[in-house]
Amino acid sequence: MDTLTYEVKDHIAEITIQSPPANALSSTILQELNEILNELEAEKSLKAVILKGEGKFFSAGADIKEFTEFQGGKENMAFKGQAVFDRIEQFHAPFIAAIHGAALGGGLELALSCHMRFVTKSAKIGLPELSLGIIPGFGGTQRLPRYVGDAKAYEMILTAEPVSGEEAVAMGLANRAFEEEELMDAVRKIAASIASKSKPSIEHVLKLVPNVYESTLNHGLKDEASRFEEVFRTEDASEGVKAFIEKRKPVFQDK
């Protein structure tokens, strides 16, 4: 692949965007990311995915020059990007975005499709599309309000002004902020903590949390109760309870 690399180790995949100087999202990156998702779907033992950028940025936007070439053509880049990002959001293992430098425009929209976002304190986070006379097209207008609320989403999108990593944490857009040199160690530690859990439990949680946005509270509660009963019958649940009683760490078999 030309723009992305990935490796899988200890139930964790690590995807790296390598498209200098800005890791700007292009049709090539979207295509290769889609191909990687195809390959990772076959990794049945996978429990977490880290997404990061090489160089100075996570991803400082979309490839605007390429966008203008597609404008008016048969291929709609927005639909293409949204399809890939939807796959990330619905993936069977949680995606963790490790953001340094900047996540702007399409780069932030990519991060918004992940289940968690960890940032450096000085990172620039925003959707600057209106400064170019366009609007977000990879889901920014729909996902951003879920994390920061309508009023703040309007402010960020309409002013096109970025916020810092620390501000992103304060408004609920990012989980935690770290110093630049601490970010990857912290993210890998978090991914390892997730990977130590039972895979069936992880997968059920990934199905349940979206109910908050897609169904009524009553439906969500019924779905949770049903899935709780299903998980409670697994071998891992028996091991977890037994380990708790015996005051030891559980040894899950992902069954």
Side-chain angles (χ1 to χ4, degrees):
M1 294 188 181
D2 297 325
T3 61
L4 299 175
T5 61
Y6 83 95
E7 61 179 353
V8 179
K9 183 179 179 181
D10 298 329
H11 307 291
I12 301 168
E14 193 165 304
I15 303 173
T16 305
I17 307 171
Q18 297 179 323
S19 184
N23 289 334
L25 294 186
S26 62
S27 60
T28 301
I29 286 181
L30 293 176
Q31 178 181 340
E32 291 186 1
L33 184 54
N34 204 48
E35 292 172 3
I36 287 176
L37 290 173
N38 289 338
E39 294 177 15
L40 291 182
E41 281 181 345
E43 295 281 348
K44 299 304 181 183
S45 64
L46 195 66
K47 296 186 184 181
V49 182
I50 296 171
L51 179 61
K52 63 185 179 72
E54 186 178 83
K56 294 182 179 180
F57 307 106
F58 173 77
S59 175
D63 190 330
I64 300 300
K65 183 178 179 181
E66 185 179 46
F67 261 83
T68 60
E69 293 173 356
F70 280 106
Q71 190 175 15
K74 294 182 179 179
E75 186 173 9
N76 189 317
M77 280 286 287
F79 283 127
K80 184 176 182 179
Q82 287 183 13
V84 176
F85 293 0
D86 284 348
R87 290 190 68 187
I88 291 174
E89 192 170 52
Q90 298 165 19
F91 204 66
H92 69 270
F95 262 74
I96 305 169
I99 301 170
H100 77 291
L104 299 171
L108 176 54
E109 290 171 302
L110 171 58
L112 285 170
S113 70
C114 295
H115 302 88
M116 288 164 273
R117 285 157 296 284
F118 295 90
V119 299
T120 57
K121 294 178 181 180
S122 60
K124 291 184 178 181
I125 315 292
L127 297 173
E129 284 86 349
L130 265 71
S131 293
L132 303 177
I134 59 176
I135 64 172
F138 289 165
T141 65
Q142 302 304 297
R143 289 192 174 99
L144 183 62
R146 294 184 177 188
Y147 298 107
V148 304
D150 292 354
K152 194 62 182 179
Y154 278 129
E155 179 186 347
M156 289 182 66
I157 297 171
L158 294 176
T159 66
E161 295 178 359
V163 299
S164 70
E166 289 184 302
E167 289 173 318
V169 172
M171 66 178 64
L173 179 54
N175 294 66
R176 283 185 253 169
F178 300 93
E179 298 294 344
E180 181 101 16
E181 65 274 11
E182 298 173 345
L183 178 65
M184 287 314 304
D185 284 344
V187 169
R188 290 179 179 123
K189 184 176 180 180
I190 291 164
S193 177
I194 294 170
S196 70
K197 308 302 188 293
S198 168
K199 184 173 173 61
S201 297
I202 294 171
E203 292 180 345
H204 279 290
V205 169
L206 293 181
K207 295 292 185 181
L208 284 168
V209 172
N211 280 338
V212 174
Y213 306 106
E214 299 170 359
S215 67
T216 64
L217 174 61
N218 186 54
H219 172 80
L221 291 172
K222 288 181 178 178
D223 192 20
E224 181 184 79
S226 177
R227 290 177 182 276
F228 173 84
E229 184 176 358
E230 184 177 342
V231 171
F232 207 77
R233 294 174 179 173
T234 64
E235 294 179 21
D236 280 351
S238 297
E239 164 62 12
V241 171
K242 184 179 180 182
F244 176 79
I245 294 173
E246 296 175 354
K247 297 182 179 180
R248 60 174 175 81
K249 289 185 177 182
V251 181
F252 295 126
Q253 301 299 319
D254 297 329
K255 298 178 181 180

Tab-separated table of all heavy atoms in Angstrom, residues 20 62 87 93 129 147 164:
chain	number	residue	atom	x	y	z
A	20	PRO	N	2.802	12.081	3.596
A	20	PRO	CA	3.334	13.408	3.894
A	20	PRO	C	2.971	14.415	2.793
A	20	PRO	O	2.702	14.024	1.654
A	20	PRO	CB	4.846	13.150	3.946
A	20	PRO	CG	5.058	11.943	3.097
A	20	PRO	CD	3.841	11.090	3.304
A	62	ALA	N	-8.597	17.061	4.133
A	62	ALA	CA	-8.788	16.236	2.950
A	62	ALA	C	-7.971	16.817	1.811
A	62	ALA	O	-7.533	17.971	1.860
A	62	ALA	CB	-10.265	16.181	2.575
A	87	ARG	N	-18.068	2.046	8.212
A	87	ARG	CA	-17.502	0.723	8.523
A	87	ARG	C	-16.674	0.771	9.799
A	87	ARG	O	-16.713	-0.160	10.607
A	87	ARG	CB	-16.637	0.221	7.364
A	87	ARG	CG	-17.400	-0.157	6.119
A	87	ARG	CD	-16.479	-0.857	5.126
A	87	ARG	NE	-16.055	-2.164	5.622
A	87	ARG	CZ	-15.140	-2.937	5.034
A	87	ARG	NH1	-14.515	-2.491	3.948
A	87	ARG	NH2	-14.809	-4.109	5.541
A	93	ALA	N	-14.380	-4.417	16.464
A	93	ALA	CA	-13.412	-4.063	17.507
A	93	ALA	C	-13.352	-2.539	17.595
A	93	ALA	O	-13.478	-1.852	16.581
A	93	ALA	CB	-12.034	-4.629	17.190
A	129	GLU	N	-13.928	23.736	6.832
A	129	GLU	CA	-14.431	23.715	5.463
A	129	GLU	C	-15.092	25.021	5.021
A	129	GLU	O	-14.960	25.436	3.863
A	129	GLU	CB	-15.435	22.557	5.291
A	129	GLU	CG	-14.797	21.187	5.180
A	129	GLU	CD	-14.524	20.539	6.520
A	129	GLU	OE1	-14.639	21.249	7.560
A	129	GLU	OE2	-14.201	19.345	6.559
A	147	TYR	N	-21.097	14.727	20.224
A	147	TYR	CA	-20.083	14.825	21.279
A	147	TYR	C	-20.061	16.191	21.960
A	147	TYR	O	-19.789	16.268	23.159
A	147	TYR	CB	-18.702	14.518	20.695
A	147	TYR	CG	-18.610	13.123	20.139
A	147	TYR	CD1	-18.589	12.908	18.756
A	147	TYR	CD2	-18.581	12.015	20.974
A	147	TYR	CE1	-18.532	11.616	18.241
A	147	TYR	CE2	-18.529	10.733	20.460
A	147	TYR	CZ	-18.503	10.537	19.090
A	147	TYR	OH	-18.460	9.267	18.583
A	164	SER	N	-8.052	23.465	20.784
A	164	SER	CA	-6.865	22.708	21.180
A	164	SER	C	-7.263	21.324	21.681
A	164	SER	O	-8.442	21.060	21.946
A	164	SER	CB	-6.118	23.457	22.280
A	164	SER	OG	-6.874	23.431	23.489
